[in-house]
Amino acid sequence: AMDMWMDYDQFKSGVLLSRDASQSGPMLMGIATQDEMAMKYTNVLEDTERHDLYEYMGSVMLDLLKNKEVVAGEITDKPEETWKEGGWYKQNKAAFEAQAKEDFLKLFSEDAGAVRKWAKYPLMLFGYSAQELCIAEDLWNKMNVKYSWLTPIHCHFIADLFYKACEKAIPSVYKFMEGMKKFGSHVHKLDEDVLVQSTYGGFPFMQDYYNFESKAKVCIYTDKNKKKRKHELMYKEKTEKRNIHQVRSGTPANLVHSIDSDLLKMVVNEFPHTIATNHDAFFATPGRINELDVVLRECTYKMASYNLVDNAIGRYGLKAEDIGIVINELNPKFNPLANEFCYS
């Protein structure tokens, strides 16, 4: 019906088609900084070619893997003999890395889609400011059933490699994440909770990350024999001390979500028909999906005019440059409306 240019209103449908803000974290960071590489691989620049950020990250990670120097060696099976010299793992680290390199090179050569998967999961977590240890744990949980040769050490190896790939492939996104961590630390030193309001919708996000401490309470009760008994209950109580690690790791993700919320509100305000939303995805009926495509791309373009970083941190007397984030001039190729692969 859509191909035949029929009158959609004659064919009422409850079916919803979606437009998902795929790779939206790096996309929004790229738009906020007007970084060409980040915008290119999230398909918001004027282009006739479809780009895939996960594939690009995977290719960079694969190049780093191939060029990584490792030293093969036999792994000792007697941990107690190496403990005093720095520990069993540290003593055998070179051998572990050599084995991990060999295993991953074999996997990526035999399975063309594997390298994209091993780049996608870390990138999704990286957007939440996850460190290598968290990324390694997630990779282990997702992949250990599928690959019999996989060990947690393999996952640590690839997580560390992924961080190096991020710094090399999408430095603006890497610096954005690092800069927002610095912002979190700055506010922490002021002995305040981080409070930021989004530019368009005024949505606030507030981080009140505090440490908890374990406490015990003795409860006295009467048993079935009518004897007095004591039982110690353990519970956690919130302290007045802020958790600097949670403040730092939560700030980048929360800022990106506040930008997401602005984009969502803008689209809802400007789309003249009924619309359904789910986090960063938009849904409309088949007859309205083309119009939603246009409105969504127009709103994505407008996001760049809001000076997203400076407006977010300005209430603390900071600018992007103060926390190491570089904001470029508006890229002349930045035109989501001229890229059919944007939100496709």
Side-chain angles (χ1 to χ4, degrees):
M2 294 174 73
D3 288 341
M4 295 171 63
W5 297 92
M6 300 177 78
D7 183 358
Y8 305 126
D9 290 332
Q10 292 182 25
F11 304 93
K12 299 296 182 183
S13 172
V15 172
L16 293 178
L17 301 181
S18 71
R19 287 296 177 260
D20 181 23
S22 179
Q23 305 160 348
S24 64
M27 181 189 78
L28 293 172
M29 293 181 216
I31 292 172
T33 59
Q34 283 297 293
D35 177 75
E36 185 160 350
M37 292 298 285
M39 291 192 294
K40 173 183 176 180
Y41 284 98
T42 53
N43 298 298
V44 293
L45 296 183
E46 187 173 342
D47 206 336
T48 56
E49 181 183 355
R50 181 184 181 276
H51 299 283
D52 187 316
L53 181 61
Y54 302 133
E55 287 183 0
Y56 170 55
M57 287 298 305
S59 67
V60 174
M61 195 166 69
L62 183 56
D63 285 340
L64 290 172
L65 175 65
K66 290 176 179 177
N67 294 323
K68 186 173 179 62
E69 294 184 2
V70 293
V71 180
E74 291 188 7
I75 299 173
T76 176
D77 59 353
K78 297 180 180 179
E80 67 277 2
E81 292 184 2
T82 59
W83 183 255
K84 291 182 180 179
E85 287 75 32
W88 180 73
Y89 171 70
K90 187 175 180 181
Q91 192 79 6
N92 293 282
K93 185 177 180 182
F96 287 136
E97 289 189 341
Q99 185 62 52
K101 177 178 179 177
E102 179 183 336
D103 291 336
F104 280 118
L105 285 175
K106 185 174 184 292
L107 169 66
F108 297 151
S109 66
E110 294 175 350
D111 184 353
V115 68
R116 185 181 187 274
K117 292 178 183 177
W118 281 87
K120 179 178 180 179
Y121 293 135
L123 185 60
M124 293 170 70
L125 271 183
F126 178 71
Y128 288 90
S129 194
Q131 300 298 315
E132 288 95 330
L133 184 62
C134 179
I135 290 174
E137 183 180 0
D138 186 71
L139 286 172
W140 170 250
N141 292 334
K142 283 184 168 70
M143 304 292 199
N144 78 86
V145 175
K146 187 173 182 180
Y147 305 106
S148 60
W149 47 265
L150 192 67
T151 70
I153 294 170
H154 282 74
C155 295
H156 280 276
F157 176 78
I158 209 74
D160 181 63
L161 210 62
F162 172 81
Y163 249 75
K164 292 180 173 63
C166 274
E167 191 172 6
K168 181 178 179 180
I170 43 176
S172 67
V173 174
Y174 185 89
K175 290 178 181 176
F176 189 101
M177 301 291 289
E178 292 298 308
M180 292 314 300
K181 289 178 189 177
K182 290 180 183 177
F183 169 63
S185 294
H186 172 81
V187 180
H188 178 80
K189 290 175 182 177
L190 299 176
D191 200 26
E192 297 179 15
D193 295 323
V194 176
L195 176 61
V196 167
Q197 283 185 285
S198 64
T199 306
Y200 172 82
F203 290 112
F205 85 71
M206 184 175 182
Q207 297 178 182
D208 57 347
Y209 297 122
Y210 288 84
N211 289 321
F212 286 78
E213 63 179 23
S214 296
K215 290 192 174 184
K217 184 175 183 179
V218 176
C219 298
I220 300 174
Y221 66 99
T222 304
D223 65 13
K224 62 181 180 180
N225 296 320
K226 296 184 178 180
K227 290 184 177 181
K228 295 286 185 180
R229 301 283 187 182
K230 290 183 179 181
H231 183 74
E232 189 175 66
L233 293 175
M234 299 298 297
Y235 65 98
K236 289 187 176 182
E237 189 173 274
K238 187 176 180 180
T239 70
E240 295 183 356
K241 186 176 180 180
R242 293 175 178 82
N243 188 317
I244 179 60
H245 301 294
Q246 289 186 343
V247 169
R248 279 175 56 82
S249 64
T251 301
N254 285 335
L255 178 64
V256 170
H257 282 312
S258 77
I259 299 173
D260 250 341
S261 72
D262 269 352
L263 180 60
L264 187 145
K265 183 171 184 178
M266 196 185 303
V267 172
V268 170
N269 285 347
E270 299 199 13
F271 189 63
H273 310 289
T274 302
I275 187 174
T277 64
N278 177 22
H279 185 47
D280 61 354
F282 304 85
F283 302 80
T285 51
R288 307 298 184 197
I289 196 69
N290 287 340
E291 189 174 355
L292 175 60
D293 282 340
V294 174
V295 171
L296 180 51
R297 286 167 166 81
E298 287 175 343
C299 292
T300 301
Y301 181 80
K302 288 180 183 178
M303 293 298 294
S305 66
Y306 282 100
N307 216 356
L308 297 167
V309 178
D310 284 349
N311 283 337
I313 66 178
R315 70 187 302 269
Y316 292 96
L318 294 173
K319 290 190 174 183
E321 59 190 32
D322 297 327
I323 53 175
I325 298 177
V326 177
I327 309 295
N328 300 300
E329 296 291 330
L330 187 68
N331 192 308
K333 293 182 181 179
F334 174 52
N335 187 359
L337 285 162
N339 192 324
E340 64 175 304
F341 304 106
C342 177
Y343 294 109
S344 61

